[in-house]
Amino acid sequence: MKTPLIAPSILASDFANLQREIEMLNRSEADWIHVDVMDGVFVPNISFGFPVVEAVKRYAQKPLDVHLMITQPERYIETFQKAGADRITVHYEACTHLHRTIQQIKDAGCQAGVALNPHTPVFLLEDILEELDLVLIMSVNPGFGGQKFIQRTYEKINRLSELRYTLNPQLLIEVDGGVNAGNARKLVEHGANVLVAGNFVFPRKARKQ
């Protein structure tokens, strides 16, 4: 089993001590820093804006993996790149012209990803999979941390792994939501190679759902 990349989500961090949390991640074995951006429209929560991403970038020594859970993300691609994003993931469900948005991300100099909500099948990405650097599988409904892992995620990763094998062997499969020590190994065995961990890394802010 290959060792997955680990991307702790600062959504679960202590916002009052964000610099300290970033410096802790710098010292850790984490590979990326996952930044969840929410607008209160696409998902029922509001999180970080550009100034926070810029502040994180000032202290981060690891790449910023920016996950845009927002409507019309194409309006903000260049701004997030300038704020410090190294890779930008947009939601399939939020993009009317997905191929154009992916090209926009790449033209800005970032790696490009597409996220799928739990109800969205992976076959919908078949015609664009060769253009992507990663696909983010949501294993909870997006918007809040601390939710219960959706078991059908394993089957979804299997299907995406089959498409990856034929269309884009270098594709990264990222999983976000309810990832912990109890399911990490199984996720990797099914084909995931990037794991987002929030409350598992920052347990003091675990939320009840």
Side-chain angles (χ1 to χ4, degrees):
M1 184 179 69
K2 293 184 178 180
T3 301
L5 299 173
I6 303 299
S9 171
I10 60 172
L11 182 65
S13 69
D14 182 354
F15 297 162
N17 294 284
L18 191 54
Q19 178 182 346
R20 184 190 67 191
E21 302 282 56
I22 297 302
E23 290 173 345
M24 180 273 289
L25 294 179
N26 288 339
R27 296 189 300 271
S28 76
E29 295 184 9
D31 299 284
W32 302 346
I33 296 175
H34 190 80
V35 183
D36 290 302
V37 177
M38 308 179 190
D39 63 0
V41 179
F42 182 70
V43 293
N45 196 8
I46 297 174
S47 62
F48 310 113
F50 307 121
V52 174
V53 177
E54 291 172 350
V56 170
K57 186 65 174 181
R58 282 200 298 272
Y59 296 102
Q61 297 173 7
K62 304 193 177 188
L64 297 192
D65 179 36
V66 176
H67 175 194
L68 299 184
M69 290 178 266
I70 64 177
T71 59
Q72 296 182 285
E74 65 277 2
R75 296 178 298 173
Y76 305 110
I77 299 301
E78 287 77 14
T79 308
F80 275 110
Q81 184 275 327
K82 291 177 182 176
D86 294 284
R87 56 187 52 81
I88 296 175
T89 296
V90 297
H91 269 261
Y92 172 89
E93 302 84 2
C95 296
T96 302
H97 304 288
L98 182 59
H99 185 272
R100 181 184 300 164
T101 302
I102 293 305
Q103 292 305 310
Q104 186 181 355
I105 294 171
K106 292 193 169 188
D107 289 345
C110 296
Q111 291 191 339
V114 172
L116 298 178
N117 280 344
H119 71 279
T120 305
V122 297
F123 75 82
L124 292 173
L125 295 181
E126 187 170 354
D127 288 340
I128 198 174
L129 206 66
E130 293 175 280
E131 305 290 332
L132 302 179
D133 295 295
L134 69 90
V135 173
L136 172 55
I137 300 294
M138 293 300 303
S139 45
V140 300
N141 287 295
F144 295 95
Q147 297 182 63
K148 185 177 179 181
F149 180 87
I150 296 173
Q151 293 298 314
R152 284 186 62 84
T153 301
Y154 297 117
E155 181 180 345
K156 201 166 184 178
I157 296 171
N158 280 339
R159 293 177 180 175
L160 182 56
S161 293
E162 293 172 358
L163 290 174
R164 172 175 63 183
Y165 180 76
T166 57
L167 297 175
N168 186 353
Q170 304 305 313
L171 181 76
L172 295 174
I173 298 178
E174 187 172 18
V175 181
D176 185 0
V179 175
N180 56 46
N183 58 23
R185 183 180 182 87
K186 188 174 180 179
L187 288 168
V188 175
E189 289 173 346
H190 281 259
N193 43 22
V194 184
L195 303 180
V196 176
N199 291 318
F200 183 68
V201 175
F202 305 104
R204 62 184 169 276
K205 282 195 64 178
R207 303 173 176 86
K208 291 184 179 180
Q209 295 299 318

